[in-house]
Amino acid sequence: MNKFVVFLKGKRNGKLDSSLLARHIEHLRQLNRAGQMVIAGPFKNNEQAMIILNCDGIDEAIRLVEKDPFIKEKYYNTYDINELVVANEENNWLMDNSQSKGNLVH
């Protein structure tokens, strides 16, 4: 599984009602139960939100985001998705990764 970071953007302030929030939370619950969501939440500045998804590919990530009532009903007008290259102890913090090596100044 790959990790995809989703930024929900273009929030329409003053447009959130309890019904929309409940549908969004149910969507997150479904993602969580299916093991497709790592973490989600709004940023403290209250302008954007983020979801990190476990997906096989970008097409699946887009499909899941576009099912979110916050996107379907334009509470957030747009989103960005980027695949995350996870760095951790298991992969030596990407020290041997071709992308990391390609970024090094020689």
Side-chain angles (χ1 to χ4, degrees):
M1 282 276 175
N2 301 314
K3 304 265 187 279
F4 291 87
V5 180
V6 181
F7 292 96
L8 304 179
K9 305 184 326 183
K11 182 178 171 183
R12 292 178 37 217
N13 289 316
K15 300 296 181 183
L16 180 61
D17 62 37
S18 60
S19 174
L20 176 56
L21 180 59
R23 291 191 305 279
H24 168 69
I25 290 170
E26 181 55 31
H27 173 72
L28 295 179
R29 284 186 176 130
Q30 289 174 5
L31 293 175
N32 191 51
R33 283 192 293 263
Q36 295 171 306
M37 186 182 73
V38 176
I39 195 168
F43 289 106
K44 189 166 179 117
N45 71 6
N46 203 25
E47 294 296 319
Q48 297 181 3
M50 182 185 73
I51 305 170
I52 299 180
L53 298 169
N54 285 318
C55 297
D56 289 326
I58 188 72
D59 292 336
E60 180 183 10
I62 291 169
R63 183 179 57 77
L64 295 176
V65 171
E66 291 186 352
K67 287 173 118 179
D68 187 334
F70 272 9
I71 294 298
K72 285 172 57 174
E73 298 181 35
K74 299 288 187 192
Y75 179 63
Y76 285 97
N77 286 307
T78 188
Y79 62 89
D80 287 331
I81 299 179
N82 285 292
E83 185 172 355
L84 178 66
V85 179
V86 176
N88 56 35
E89 197 71 46
E90 293 172 6
N91 61 23
N92 195 28
W93 304 104
L94 300 175
M95 289 297 296
D96 303 319
N97 178 278
S98 61
Q99 181 176 340
S100 296
K101 288 179 178 181
N103 288 328
L104 290 173
V105 176
H106 300 280

